[in-house]
Amino acid sequence: MARRLLKLDLHIHSRFSDGDSTLQEIASVARAKKLVAAGVADHYVSGPAPRGRMGRNKVKEYLSQVAAAGLLKGVEVDIYEDGGVSLDSSERRLFDYVIGGVHEVDGIEFWGDPSPIPHPERFVEAMREALVEAIEGGLVDVVAHLTWLPEDLRGMEAHLITDDWVESIVRAAASRGVAIEVSGAWQVPDERVVRRCLKEGVKLSLGSDAHRASEVGNLSYPLKLLARLGAGVEDIFIPKPAEAKLKTY
């Protein structure tokens, strides 16, 4: 018998950062798709924010509107090369959960940047070190789009993302209770990584990484992968405010 999984989308972006939809539009689609819970995790930088990021001056309004829409109050922060994140420790309590993602290494962005990377092994090692430091820093609940690489390295994952690379991150996540996201948009990480997470007891977070309302609930890849690997509800990362909803599921 197949084990029960949850339609729980914790990675959605709104107009507060780089999304195209309002919170009300997102909530409406989440209800229509019968998601158990949905969480908005807009990009955030503590302090003045560049384009595509929400700054501190918008947080109060963001939290109020997210709550009014009946959505979970998440946030996605940048993981920097030194392992620091774009969130002040005093702000952690404001959010139901914090997603952290590496979006740039050595000046090369992971989306829309075709710049050549002359030393691929060195690049992915810098990624690994940043991820482990961020996990151990204690401000991140979920690591997003793990194993996603910049354009110049796509297709080289099998060579560059070694078993040792994966083991280092999964063990760090296990030691700190940090979840690994399985992304509907980017279809990462692959089965090898997810199997390792399940073996080490690392929770898996489900996220569409939606940037428009029509993409909310795009969980086909994570749900099919987890079902194939025999994962169940107990393997899923569930923010505490969502736990009450599960009692009626």
Side-chain angles (χ1 to χ4, degrees):
M1 179 184 295
R3 299 174 73 188
R4 187 173 62 128
L5 289 169
L6 301 173
K7 292 177 68 177
L8 180 71
D9 190 349
L10 299 181
H11 194 158
I12 302 168
H13 296 283
S14 78
R15 290 179 182 173
F16 273 90
S17 62
D18 62 344
D20 292 340
S21 302
T22 67
L23 296 169
Q24 291 73 25
E25 290 168 338
I26 289 167
S28 178
V29 172
R31 288 192 297 269
K33 292 188 176 181
K34 295 181 168 55
L35 299 183
V36 173
V40 180
D42 272 307
H43 292 284
Y44 178 68
V45 174
S46 181
R51 182 178 178 85
R53 298 290 189 269
M54 174 176 61
R56 184 180 293 167
N57 63 323
K58 290 288 187 180
V59 168
K60 185 176 180 179
E61 180 186 0
Y62 172 73
L63 294 173
S64 175
Q65 290 195 25
V66 171
L71 299 164
L72 295 171
K73 302 187 290 279
V75 72
E76 181 179 7
V77 299
D78 295 309
I79 295 176
Y80 300 127
E81 286 182 63
D82 64 357
V85 300
S86 59
L87 176 76
D88 189 270
S89 59
S90 65
E91 299 170 315
R92 173 62 190 84
R93 61 181 176 79
L94 299 174
F95 305 100
D96 295 330
Y97 59 95
V98 174
I99 297 175
V102 177
H103 298 94
E104 180 180 319
V105 169
D106 199 23
I108 296 174
E109 297 184 6
F110 281 47
W111 284 266
D113 187 345
S115 301
I117 298 173
H119 304 289
E121 289 82 5
R122 188 182 304 168
F123 188 94
V124 296
E125 174 60 14
M127 281 177 60
R128 187 196 67 78
E129 291 176 352
L131 285 162
V132 170
E133 286 293 325
I135 289 168
E136 293 179 345
L139 293 180
V140 171
D141 299 302
V142 178
V143 171
H145 38 71
L146 184 68
T147 74
W148 183 261
L149 297 175
E151 290 184 17
D152 191 49
L153 301 183
R154 302 227 184 112
M156 300 173 63
E157 291 85 357
H159 168 65
L160 294 173
I161 306 299
T162 65
D163 289 344
D164 287 344
W165 191 99
V166 172
E167 182 175 353
S168 172
I169 292 168
V170 172
R171 285 192 171 178
S175 71
R176 299 298 301 225
V178 171
I180 300 296
E181 179 184 87
V182 186
S183 174
W186 315 114
Q187 300 190 13
V188 293
D190 62 15
E191 182 173 323
R192 173 182 55 143
V193 178
V194 175
R195 282 188 183 276
R196 188 70 189 181
C197 289
L198 292 170
K199 181 179 179 181
E200 297 291 339
V202 172
K203 299 286 187 180
L204 298 160
S205 182
L206 308 182
S208 64
D209 208 347
H211 284 72
R212 54 185 58 87
S214 61
E215 298 168 346
V216 170
N218 173 21
L219 302 172
S220 178
Y221 174 78
L223 290 175
K224 287 181 179 178
L225 176 56
L226 295 183
R228 188 167 72 248
L229 297 180
V233 173
E234 67 277 9
D235 299 307
I236 304 300
F237 170 73
I238 304 169
K240 289 184 178 180
E243 290 178 351
K245 294 185 178 183
L246 304 185
K247 295 178 181 178
T248 59
Y249 177 72

